[in-house]
Amino acid sequence: MNYDAIHEGIFRARPNRFIAHVEINGRIERCHVKNTGRCRELLVPGAKVYLHQPRALPASQRATKYDLTAVWKGEQLINMDSQAPNKVFAEYMRSGRYREDITLIKPETKYGGSRFDFYVETGKSKIFIEVKGVTLEENGVALFPDAPTERGVKHLNDLAQCIHDGYKAQVVFIIQMKGISHFKPNNRTHAAFGEALAKAAAEGVAVLALDCAVTPHSLTIGDPVPVEI
């Protein structure tokens, strides 16, 4: 996926989870943060960030002029747009890189008590897929979640129920950066999510982690990353 109008800035403060104060050309702008996670290791004062200026709505109809989409963490550029993982995974599926026998891709499909990101059909399978964006990295290891997520636990439990009901199911972790050795659940932050992931995997839910090539103007799925549960 591509961003059409990108500006460079310096992060200064985050007064709440939706708003960042960013310096652009010597002026402080209020920007929308497209990620409600903690992101404490990313949004530090002085960090270089990239801002997307959406053109879908006139500026007069927006509370903020810019969306914060990417940040430099040392020499690593990380996309932190929480809407991007679903978009790039849809592109990945349509490209045939996910699998070549897809006959149907249906976003936002409800089953049981959850609304999953995708329902996919192939010649032989019916698959429910939940996509999770990953922005937390420690020493080359990608971790999810960066904050407790009861909703994430519920998604995993409901994916396991899909398996019991005769469907296939998969959780896909889109790592919004390169330079990752492997992925694992962040048990230190939310042990219940790690336990639910291990249980779901044991019951047949497939677990896939994919890294991404990141530029200020784009995000593209790259390669599979080993998963350690």
Side-chain angles (χ1 to χ4, degrees):
M1 62 169 286
N2 296 306
Y3 299 100
D4 55 1
I6 291 294
H7 302 265
E8 184 178 303
I10 302 298
F11 175 81
R12 295 304 183 195
R14 188 182 187 183
N16 61 56
R17 63 179 180 159
F18 301 106
I19 296 296
H21 292 166
V22 178
E23 182 179 336
I24 308 172
N25 298 323
R27 183 182 69 255
I28 299 297
E29 292 276 359
R30 292 176 73 254
C31 304
H32 174 53
V33 179
K34 297 188 75 174
N35 190 314
T36 56
R38 291 175 177 170
C39 305
R40 291 171 180 166
E41 76 290 350
L42 300 179
L43 296 181
V44 297
K48 183 188 292 186
V49 297
Y50 293 101
L51 310 166
H52 177 228
Q53 187 174 359
R55 295 176 178 174
L57 287 174
S60 61
Q61 296 182 27
R62 286 177 49 91
T64 58
K65 185 177 180 180
Y66 302 101
D67 294 332
L68 197 162
T69 54
V71 56
W72 283 100
K73 180 187 177 187
E75 298 183 356
Q76 189 174 47
L77 183 59
I78 299 173
N79 179 288
M80 52 179 295
D81 178 353
S82 62
Q83 296 176 5
N86 280 26
K87 293 178 181 178
V88 295
F89 188 67
E91 291 176 354
Y92 185 71
M93 288 192 291
R94 289 194 294 267
S95 74
R97 294 176 63 202
Y98 173 65
R99 47 190 302 169
E100 297 179 347
D101 56 347
I102 291 176
T103 57
L104 173 69
I105 300 173
K106 185 179 178 182
E108 297 293 326
T109 302
K110 187 174 181 180
Y111 185 81
S114 285
R115 184 180 296 275
F116 296 114
D117 290 317
F118 296 99
Y119 169 73
V120 172
E121 290 186 358
T122 71
K124 298 181 179 180
S125 302
K126 298 179 178 181
I127 314 166
F128 286 98
I129 302 172
E130 182 64 19
V131 175
K132 304 293 184 186
V134 182
T135 61
L136 178 60
E137 173 271 338
E138 292 181 1
N139 301 315
V141 179
L143 301 164
F144 184 91
D146 80 338
T149 171
E150 295 302 330
R151 183 170 178 266
V153 171
K154 184 177 186 301
H155 280 147
L156 293 173
N157 292 338
D158 287 349
L159 284 173
Q161 184 60 49
C162 292
I163 296 289
H164 296 315
D165 292 346
Y167 295 91
K168 291 187 180 296
Q170 184 169 48
V171 57
V172 179
F173 294 95
I174 302 297
I175 302 167
Q176 294 166 254
M177 68 194 88
K178 274 286 188 182
I180 295 300
S181 64
H182 63 282
F183 165 86
K184 66 180 184 180
N186 189 2
N187 292 319
R188 184 176 68 247
T189 294
H190 195 189
F193 182 86
E195 293 167 1
L197 182 61
K199 181 180 178 182
E203 295 184 14
V205 176
V207 182
L208 175 64
L210 298 163
D211 69 11
C212 291
V214 185
T215 77
H217 300 272
S218 66
L219 183 71
T220 308
I221 287 181
D223 303 301
V225 170
V227 174
E228 178 184 307
I229 299 177

